[in-house]
Amino acid sequence: MQLEVIGVGGAGCRIADAIRAAEPTDHSFLTDVFAFDTDESDLNRTVIPESNRFRYGPDESDGGLAGYLERGRTLGRDRVDDLLESADRATPGAADGVLVAVGLGGATGGGAAPALVSALQQRTDAPVYVLATLPADREFTRADPSESAPLAGDPNATTDAPPRPTAAANAVATLERLDGVASAIITFDNEDWLRPGETLADGRDRCNRELATRVAAVFTGGGSADSVAQTVIDASDIRRILGDQSSVVALGYGDQTVETNGSRFGLGLLSAEPDIETSEAVSAVETVVRKGIRGKLTLECDPETAERGLLIVGGPPAWLNRRAIAEGRRTLESAIGGSGILGGDAPRPDGDRVFAAVVLAGIRSDRLAELRSAADRTGRVD
Ligand SMILES: Nc1nc2c(ncn2[C@@H]2O[C@H](COP(=O)(O)OP(=O)(O)OP(=O)(O)O)[C@@H](O)[C@H]2O)c(=O)[nH]1
Ligand SMILES: [Mg+2]
């Protein structure tokens, strides 16, 4: 399908950047990518073309809003129409969907997202999805004082103040405002993806690459001119699965590098299709499907809670064993509690891996309840 991506705030713009980098060269799926932020220096660190980057807000907001969500909302409400207009979206109407990327927990992205999504919903018939990161506990929780108790009189002693004390409260407040506005909310939990002891600044690029790989695998869809999928997943299929009721969505992914016909070494002329044992192809598909469903999701949840699910199995055509893909679909069907399942394939003649991309929509996750309790502890924002 054809997707327009708008990143807002530091996380949103970096993730938009990563999605752009993950777009397969032979399978474009992006119409346009935009970056909106109050913070000029963050904006300028992206590689999104300058014509698609927009700084907004009064001069004193440059550098960000330091987590002050109410300011982010006011600025967002006031400036959203201008932003969408000045973005002069090169191909308005050409996109089958819009994806607004934000980091929940901050003020700029989370503050602007509800107004932005709602303005976009009014301007287009296409669905407007949100891609939202959830904050990690280390951002809003004070380090355990028993572990880092400063020695009396230590001149280097700090108060161990968490870097974003309002992150949980901001995230919960923004999620509530997106409910009923966003077509669906695709989530990525930083808590689960950052390594123990790792700071967000150290881990974020890796996290963004992981997320972008999953987004690209889901939205790139089926085949191409030279290789047609047996079952193409198109924009309306994605829409059926993601829905239009602000469902919470988690993505799963599994891949495995496989032997290809060596065309990149000039041998492909002799045999266009490599000889692959059926059992090997079946086993590769089974492995990636299992990883996609049972492996680490972008938001931890029990797949059983999902109302709808989508499975896309992709890779070099000779590896896409029909029976194994059909079996994978049945595996997903029995893993989820709901009954809405779609499956498709995505031939990648030049690819060197078999992959499975999984969408679980309408999930319930304990992590969201945890963030709500953390917001109650650290102070709610309306
Ligand atoms: N996965 C991921 N999460 C990020 C990244 N940067 C920030 N975050 C998360 O997003 C939340 C919001 O951070 P930012 O996006 O920098 O905040 P902002 O929207 O620019 O808002 P202010 O700077 O407060 O005005 C943080 O609390 C983190 O949880 C990133 O590059 N990747
Ligand atoms: Mg910022």
Side-chain angles (χ1 to χ4, degrees):
M1 69 178 272
Q2 292 296 297
L3 189 70
E4 176 179 320
V5 174
I6 303 179
V8 202
C13 295
R14 282 187 287 274
I15 290 168
D17 228 2
I19 293 175
R20 214 166 151 262
E23 182 177 37
T25 43
D26 52 345
H27 285 82
S28 68
F29 70 100
L30 298 169
T31 56
D32 249 319
V33 178
F34 295 102
F36 300 161
D37 201 347
T38 53
D39 186 337
E40 177 109 46
S41 56
D42 256 358
L43 204 51
N44 289 342
R45 273 191 284 267
T46 70
V47 293
I48 290 168
E50 213 172 323
S51 57
N52 284 21
R53 285 186 233 150
F54 297 92
R55 199 201 85 77
Y56 67 99
D59 287 349
E60 66 272 18
S61 71
D62 196 355
L65 306 175
Y68 188 15
L69 187 62
E70 194 50 53
R71 277 193 71 202
R73 275 195 199 131
T74 309
L75 270 177
R77 264 197 310 267
D78 292 351
R79 298 299 312 280
V80 131
D81 285 325
D82 295 348
L83 280 170
L84 287 177
E85 242 132 73
S86 51
D88 182 34
R89 295 144 77 221
T91 44
D96 304 307
V98 185
L99 185 69
V100 174
V102 291
L104 300 183
T108 298
L116 180 62
V117 172
S118 141
L120 285 161
Q121 295 280 22
Q122 280 163 20
R123 282 162 192 246
T124 166
D125 291 334
V128 183
Y129 306 122
V130 170
L131 180 61
T133 66
L134 303 178
D137 289 352
R138 67 202 75 175
E139 295 181 60
F140 53 83
T141 315
R142 190 186 289 263
D144 183 351
S146 63
E147 281 178 17
S148 55
L151 297 171
D154 180 353
N156 297 320
T158 65
T159 56
D160 283 336
R164 276 194 183 267
T166 56
N170 286 0
V172 168
T174 299
L175 273 177
E176 280 169 7
R177 288 190 182 226
L178 287 169
D179 191 27
V181 181
S183 301
I185 305 170
I186 303 170
T187 49
F188 179 91
D189 187 9
N190 284 327
E191 173 66 17
D192 208 23
W193 285 82
L194 289 176
R195 294 175 180 147
E198 188 178 48
T199 63
L200 186 75
D202 286 340
R204 68 189 188 194
D205 288 347
R206 184 192 71 251
C207 290
N208 296 349
R209 276 193 302 274
E210 296 278 7
L211 176 56
T213 300
R214 285 150 180 78
V215 168
V218 168
F219 287 98
T220 305
S224 61
D226 56 345
S227 185
V228 180
Q230 295 243 322
T231 311
V232 178
I233 293 297
D234 64 14
S236 62
D237 295 325
I238 303 250
R239 193 171 189 167
R240 268 173 65 198
I241 296 302
L242 294 182
D244 56 7
Q245 306 282 318
S246 309
S247 291
V248 175
V249 176
L251 305 180
Y253 183 81
D255 67 6
Q256 180 178 311
T257 307
V258 293
E259 236 173 74
T260 53
N261 61 13
S263 58
R264 65 191 60 184
F265 305 108
L267 303 172
L269 291 173
L270 294 177
S271 69
E273 289 281 300
D275 238 358
I276 287 154
E277 289 282 335
T278 306
S279 61
E280 257 192 282
V282 167
S283 146
V285 171
E286 279 173 1
T287 304
V288 297
V289 168
R290 190 170 50 246
K291 280 190 201 160
I293 301 172
R294 295 291 166 199
K296 185 166 169 166
L297 300 167
T298 54
L299 173 62
E300 194 182 344
C301 70
D302 181 351
E304 171 73 24
T305 66
E307 289 163 11
R308 299 174 301 280
L310 171 70
L311 171 69
I312 298 174
V313 180
W319 285 88
L320 300 181
N321 181 279
R322 303 285 138 218
R323 268 186 302 120
I325 294 175
E327 187 56 37
R329 204 185 127 130
R330 283 191 288 276
T331 306
L332 179 62
E333 196 157 21
S334 54
I336 73 164
S339 53
I341 286 280
L342 286 174
D345 57 304
R348 298 280 182 268
D350 296 329
D352 64 353
R353 55 194 56 225
V354 173
F355 68 87
V358 173
V359 176
L360 298 175
I363 52 160
R364 286 191 304 279
S365 166
D366 291 345
R367 177 67 183 153
L368 294 174
E370 264 172 45
L371 283 173
R372 265 179 237 116
S373 336
D376 287 338
R377 275 198 315 277
T378 54
R380 284 252 187 179
V381 191
D382 285 334

